[in-house]
Amino acid sequence: MSNRGFFGVIVAAIILMVISSSIYVVTEYERAVVLRFGRLVQMDVEPGLHFKLPVADKVRKFDGRLLTADMRPESFFTVENKRLIVDSFIKWRIKNVENYYKATGGDERVAAERLASRVADGLRNHFGRRTMHEVVSGRRDELMEELTHSLNLVTEDLLGLEVVDIRVKRIDLPTDVSDSVYARMAADREKEAREYRSKGQEQAEVIRADADRQRAVLEANAYRDAERIRGDGDAKAAAIFAAAYSQDPEFYAFVRSLTAYSNTFKGREDLLVVDPDSDFFRYLKDASGKK
């Protein structure tokens, strides 16, 4: 290779190095700023392909996705001066890239530590205005939402961050107070159980008395209906008997005698002592029923 050709290769290599050092890419999940000799000249670079001055410009990229900062367990006091050990975590993301870079230097660890410090102060203030019951009950979610809202009023300007959510993973009681707290909780639950049992017994008495009353009413109504039906049946039977008797008294007497014989002699061991000349056997002696 001649000297001219070798010089051309060197120039081409330098040109490629300059071009490659002038191009940079910001992805959709990244946030970026551009520094020129250490001075911030471009904030929040849009995702895509960009150009910069070689050597003079430096690109700093940050993770723009939702991040998690796990806080160390901290001790807080409630309004009753009860100490709690709270383990929590924070969901956050970059909101203002310029403020974020100026406040933290683009260091995610520094941002998480400063945010955790402010969250700890917020939890301390909020816990200090609430009872233990409010802290450990369902109202804790309301407390976290309030704390998240209050933090977002300042974190964007101071740290360039948005606090998306704050959650408590665990609340422990110190050993020196746990026994007394558990004893008081057990006493409260026993008191509630007694109240529920008392109310249950009272309701049972009311239900039992109402059931007895309904049973008495039903039995009385059933007896009334049965007597009415029985009376109607007797009246109809008497009417049928009277009608049958009026049509043919002799035939009616004959049928009644046969029915009496059937009912009397249906059992093999039955014993009947009757005068043979009595009126009971008159149809056995004579089909016409004459004596």
Side-chain angles (χ1 to χ4, degrees):
M1 181 181 295
S2 63
N3 291 336
R4 186 174 182 180
F6 181 74
F7 179 76
V9 172
I10 293 177
V11 171
I14 293 173
I15 292 173
L16 289 176
M17 291 178 60
V18 171
I19 292 174
S20 63
S21 62
S22 301
I23 297 175
Y24 68 97
V25 176
V26 178
T27 61
E28 291 290 339
Y29 58 84
E30 289 180 329
R31 311 293 294 272
V33 296
V34 178
L35 306 174
R36 182 165 296 165
F37 299 113
R39 185 170 58 89
L40 194 60
V41 295
Q42 189 175 0
M43 285 73 69
D44 198 10
V45 180
E46 295 291 332
L49 181 64
H50 300 276
F51 297 93
K52 64 182 181 66
L53 296 178
V55 182
D57 290 348
K58 183 178 181 182
V59 179
R60 293 290 307 275
K61 299 179 182 178
F62 317 113
D63 195 339
R65 295 172 293 187
L66 190 63
L67 303 175
T68 301
D70 197 3
M71 296 180 58
R72 293 190 303 271
E74 297 262 1
S75 294
F76 303 113
F77 288 88
T78 64
V79 70
E80 314 105 316
N81 204 28
K82 298 293 185 183
R83 189 163 69 95
L84 303 175
I85 301 174
V86 181
D87 190 5
S88 59
F89 66 91
I90 313 163
K91 289 290 186 181
W92 63 278
R93 61 187 168 203
I94 300 173
K95 182 72 173 181
N96 187 309
V97 183
E98 181 181 1
N99 291 348
Y100 173 74
Y101 177 75
K102 290 179 178 178
T104 65
D107 192 328
E108 184 178 317
R109 183 180 56 82
V110 174
E113 289 179 354
R114 294 185 179 179
L115 188 58
S117 175
R118 291 191 171 275
V119 171
D121 292 340
L123 286 174
R124 186 173 294 104
N125 294 332
H126 283 75
F127 277 30
R129 298 196 300 266
R130 287 172 170 78
T131 64
M132 179 179 295
H133 178 72
E134 292 174 339
V135 170
V136 300
S137 67
R139 297 188 62 183
R140 190 173 64 201
D141 294 338
E142 178 184 341
L143 183 152
M144 294 304 161
E145 291 178 2
E146 183 181 344
L147 177 59
T148 302
H149 177 71
S150 61
L151 282 173
N152 278 325
L153 296 178
V154 297
T155 52
E156 181 176 353
D157 292 334
L158 295 179
L159 301 175
L161 306 178
E162 178 190 8
V163 179
V164 178
D165 196 10
I166 302 172
R167 291 292 166 183
V168 173
K169 293 189 294 184
R170 183 174 178 177
I171 296 179
D172 291 329
L173 295 173
T175 307
D176 53 343
V177 300
S178 60
D179 293 342
S180 62
V181 172
Y182 289 147
R184 191 181 66 181
M185 292 176 65
D188 292 342
R189 296 297 178 271
E190 180 63 27
K191 181 181 177 181
E192 291 181 7
R194 287 197 300 270
E195 292 178 355
Y196 283 130
R197 281 195 292 268
S198 177
K199 291 180 181 178
Q201 291 175 355
E202 181 180 350
Q203 292 180 359
E205 292 295 333
V206 173
I207 294 172
R208 190 176 295 110
D210 183 64
D212 292 341
R213 182 187 61 79
Q214 293 185 23
R215 184 187 63 183
V217 172
L218 290 174
E219 289 178 350
N221 292 336
Y223 179 77
R224 180 199 61 195
D225 295 341
E227 290 299 318
R228 181 185 300 163
I229 294 171
R230 186 178 295 109
D232 293 341
D234 292 342
K236 290 181 180 178
I240 293 172
F241 290 155
Y245 182 77
S246 62
Q247 289 181 4
D248 191 344
E250 188 61 29
F251 180 73
Y252 176 77
F254 175 72
V255 172
R256 291 292 303 270
S257 295
L258 292 180
T259 304
Y261 296 155
S262 176
N263 293 331
T264 303
F265 300 114
K266 64 181 179 180
R268 294 183 179 180
E269 297 179 356
D270 292 342
L271 177 62
L272 182 66
V273 179
V274 181
D275 185 356
D277 296 330
S278 68
D279 192 56
F280 183 73
F281 295 111
R282 63 173 178 160
Y283 285 102
L284 291 179
K285 295 178 180 179
D286 188 351
S288 62
K290 296 180 179 178
K291 293 183 179 179

